[in-house]
Amino acid sequence: DLASDRIALEALRKAVGGRSLLWNLSNSPCSWVGVFCERDRVVGLRLPAMGLSGQLPIALGNLTQLQTLSLRFNALSGPIPADIGSLASLRNLYLQENFFSGEISGFLFNLQNLVRLDLAHNNFSGEISPSFNNLTRLRTLYLEENQLNGSIPDLNFPSLDQFNVSYNKLIGAVPQRLSGRPATAFEGNSLCGKPLIPCNGTSNGNDKLSGGAIAGIAIGCVIGFLLILMILIFLCKRKRTKQGVAKDTQERKQSETEIARENVVADRGTASTGIASAAAVAKSESKRGGGTKNLVFFGNTSRVFDLEDLLRASAEVLGKGTFGTTYKATLEVGVAVAVKRLKDVTVTEKEFRGKIESVGKINHENLVPLKAYYYNKDEKLLVYDYMPMGSLSALLHGNSAAGRTPLNWETRSGIALGAARGITHLHSQGPTISHGNIKSSNILLTNSFEARVSDFGLANLAGPTPTPNRIDGYRAPEVTDARKISQKADVYSFGVLLLELLTGRAPTHSHLNDEGVDLPRWVQSVVKDEWTSEVFDLELLRYQNVEEDMVQLLQLAINCTAQYPDNRPSMEEVRNQIEQLCSHGGDTHQDIEDEKSSQQTYSIDSGAPPP
Ligand SMILES: Nc1ncnc2c1ncn2[C@@H]1O[C@H](COP(=O)(O)OP(=O)(O)OP(=O)(O)O)[C@@H](O)[C@H]1O
């Protein structure tokens, strides 16, 4: 009953959270922060990042109705206590990012109802037990970044979605049943076999080579060296006979090498030559009458610069995207612009000009305005305002060591609103107008963190993109060709963007994501298990009085990422809902010490598609 639940919780507080768990012991445990009850029993205990430290007491076994235990991101140490094995109702056990050590306790394998088990980033040692196979309902097993050794047993989980054992001390072959998992699930071990390198005769679990193999390699090296030497002698002789005959050819070759070198430097993003050479090509073309003489400006943009100025500008590569490389060019007058050098433009000049002219006419405070463009046979340049704060992607996933600003709820919801307004404005231009490439690197920020959507109108200038690229994590399931975009596909991508803002995780295929998470699927599966608060970015959990707003935005994101386009809201509806949400957001800067707890039981529709 609740009295025995109370005893367990008080013992836990005494052992690991005396200072950090500010529970009012004279009230019912169901009113305590992180404790969730149903029918007067504790069913959830969620204390992530609460500064808990020390060893878990033998007491939690009292919580016989507990379904979710989340103690992630704390400083808990020692073994997992044996009585956890008596939590017969437990479905979700989330202990990652602590200092737990010792072998993974055999008591865990009694937990027949366990669906998610995350023990990653601890100090667990010993072998992975084949008894994991007792956990037949398991869908998530995360064991990465521990000290586990030995080989991986033949694990057979019928419904496993997520699995990771990377960065342990595992050896031997990946069992066949797990060979379809991504290589990242196994890296950082001495493992072989699909999806890693094949296990051949020379590698039997450890990396030592046999004597025969070493001798073979040595002989191969000597033969290779002799061959190269002979080729070099032959080439030198030939060169001498040709000397003096082809001086002009040599000069030409030299200049080709220069150009090649220049391109390499530009590609590496270390110098301004890329944009300079683009502008130079453009300039020489226009001199020959092969295109427009100069940049074409839009609206009231004052023509403070021309191609010559771009040529002289100091420039740096900002990044390479789907449609080309983007440079920051600082003009001599001190103004910075972003110049996108388009590649693979497949439309005719007339179509290009028509499409870009209509992009240039679109004007809204939440869109990055296209200032000007340049078109000729060899070069197509787009000039935008330069946004000094960079992109949402860099801000969310950038290196925290480099001084990343943590984004609070107010800023995140403001960014969501700004982006929604920008995209809604685009959609209001006509039912066939859509963005086609909504993702966090295309949400740029002003100095005051206002969102401006960039890169609109480019999707149907380029050819099909058969290989997965960075948009793929955002792409709606019905979009098979990047050019066949729609407003409802934009809504899906925007939903993924909202999930990214809420969870702090980048979607699959993002170059910054190493977890391989399919964000909508992951969020839906967690929410279905009534585990909603686990999806939120830890930085957001500091602001407890906004959890209800976060849950509402999460529901909206889930609606946006519905599998069938007709089940998704329109962008206008999305904008209106975020506007409402932001308008009643009062004091959102409550501190972590704020004891006001949010004890609502949130109900989320997991957005399951119709049959
Ligand atoms: N106007 C701008 N001001 C500041 N940074 C920009 C601007 N435009 C683009 N960037 C940044 O330059 C980098 C490269 O942008 P680019 O648009 O070429 O590629 P992408 O956004 O990564 O992918 P895609 O081409 O698919 O949109 C990105 O990090 C982007 O955030």
Side-chain angles (χ1 to χ4, degrees), residues 324-369:
T325 306
T326 303
Y327 302 82
K328 174 188 175 186
T330 310
L331 303 165
E332 277 177 344
V333 285
V335 180
V337 288
V339 181
K340 189 174 280 245
R341 193 180 177 190
L342 295 177
K343 61 166 192 201
D344 301 334
V345 172
T346 49
V347 296
T348 63
E349 176 172 357
K350 197 167 160 223
E351 276 178 293
F352 181 90
R353 287 189 192 283
K355 282 180 174 154
I356 288 297
E357 294 280 345
S358 54
V359 169
K361 280 189 200 129
I362 302 175
N363 204 355
H364 186 269
E365 60 184 358
N366 294 111
L367 296 174
V368 180

Side-chain angles (χ1 to χ4, degrees), residues 318 321-322 326 338 340 385 387 391 437 439 441-442 455 470:
L318 289 172
T322 321
T326 303
K340 189 174 280 245
D385 277 347
M387 306 292 292
S391 71
N437 195 12
K439 56 181 175 176
S441 70
N442 282 337
D455 257 13
R470 251 184 285 164

Side-chain angles (χ1 to χ4, degrees), residues 223-241:
I223 293 175
F225 176 74
L226 288 176
L227 264 174
I228 292 169
L229 202 67
M230 280 162 66
I231 291 168
L232 280 178
I233 293 169
F234 172 75
L235 286 177
C236 283
K237 276 191 178 159
R238 231 177 78 164
K239 195 178 164 205
R240 240 177 258 142
T241 58

Side-chain angles (χ1 to χ4, degrees), residues 416-479:
L417 180 58
R421 283 179 173 155
I423 301 163
T424 309
H425 181 77
L426 270 183
H427 287 190
S428 71
Q429 305 297 301
T432 57
I433 308 292
S434 45
H435 184 291
N437 195 12
I438 293 166
K439 56 181 175 176
S440 56
S441 70
N442 282 337
I443 308 298
L444 304 178
L445 301 161
T446 65
N447 283 332
S448 49
F449 289 104
E450 275 156 31
R452 300 247 168 109
V453 181
S454 78
D455 257 13
F456 47 94
L458 305 186
N460 41 19
L461 294 176
T465 49
T467 46
N469 57 31
R470 251 184 285 164
I471 171 118
D472 277 8
Y474 299 84
R475 186 178 286 169
E478 73 277 9
V479 179

Side-chain angles (χ1 to χ4, degrees), residues 228-367:
I228 292 169
L229 202 67
M230 280 162 66
I231 291 168
L232 280 178
I233 293 169
F234 172 75
L235 286 177
C236 283
K237 276 191 178 159
R238 231 177 78 164
K239 195 178 164 205
R240 240 177 258 142
T241 58
K242 284 189 176 174
Q243 247 172 13
V245 180
K247 198 175 167 206
D248 54 339
T249 317
Q250 221 173 14
E251 272 169 11
R252 202 183 68 229
K253 271 191 186 157
Q254 200 177 341
S255 72
E256 276 170 8
T257 319
E258 285 301 316
I259 290 165
R261 193 181 305 139
E262 186 176 277
N263 284 338
V264 169
V265 173
D267 277 350
R268 284 190 197 139
T270 51
S272 64
T273 42
I275 184 68
S277 69
V281 172
K283 200 175 131 202
S284 66
E285 268 292 320
S286 64
K287 268 189 192 152
R288 277 187 268 135
T292 321
K293 295 272 178 318
N294 215 329
L295 296 163
V296 180
F297 281 84
F298 290 109
N300 304 327
T301 312
S302 50
R303 282 144 220 266
V304 284
F305 60 92
D306 56 20
L307 259 188
E308 293 272 355
D309 297 314
L310 275 190
L311 182 63
R312 282 195 298 267
S314 72
E316 66 185 84
V317 175
L318 289 172
K320 272 190 178 183
T322 321
F323 308 108
T325 306
T326 303
Y327 302 82
K328 174 188 175 186
T330 310
L331 303 165
E332 277 177 344
V333 285
V335 180
V337 288
V339 181
K340 189 174 280 245
R341 193 180 177 190
L342 295 177
K343 61 166 192 201
D344 301 334
V345 172
T346 49
V347 296
T348 63
E349 176 172 357
K350 197 167 160 223
E351 276 178 293
F352 181 90
R353 287 189 192 283
K355 282 180 174 154
I356 288 297
E357 294 280 345
S358 54
V359 169
K361 280 189 200 129
I362 302 175
N363 204 355
H364 186 269
E365 60 184 358
N366 294 111
L367 296 174

Side-chain angles (χ1 to χ4, degrees), residues 119-140:
L119 303 178
H121 297 263
N122 276 293
N123 292 324
F124 287 112
S125 53
E127 300 201 357
I128 299 177
S129 165
S131 306
F132 269 106
N133 283 331
N134 296 353
L135 307 176
T136 48
R137 299 185 63 194
L138 209 59
R139 296 212 329 242
T140 299

Side-chain angles (χ1 to χ4, degrees), residues 6 19 34-35 56 106-107 111 123 126 146 209 260 282 306-307 332 351 355 438 470-471 474 489-490 507 515 583:
R6 174 190 279 272
R19 287 203 193 124
V35 178
L56 289 178
F107 305 105
L111 301 173
N123 292 324
N146 277 292
L209 295 173
D306 56 20
L307 259 188
E332 277 177 344
E351 276 178 293
K355 282 180 174 154
I438 293 166
R470 251 184 285 164
I471 171 118
Y474 299 84
D490 275 357
E515 294 171 38
S583 65

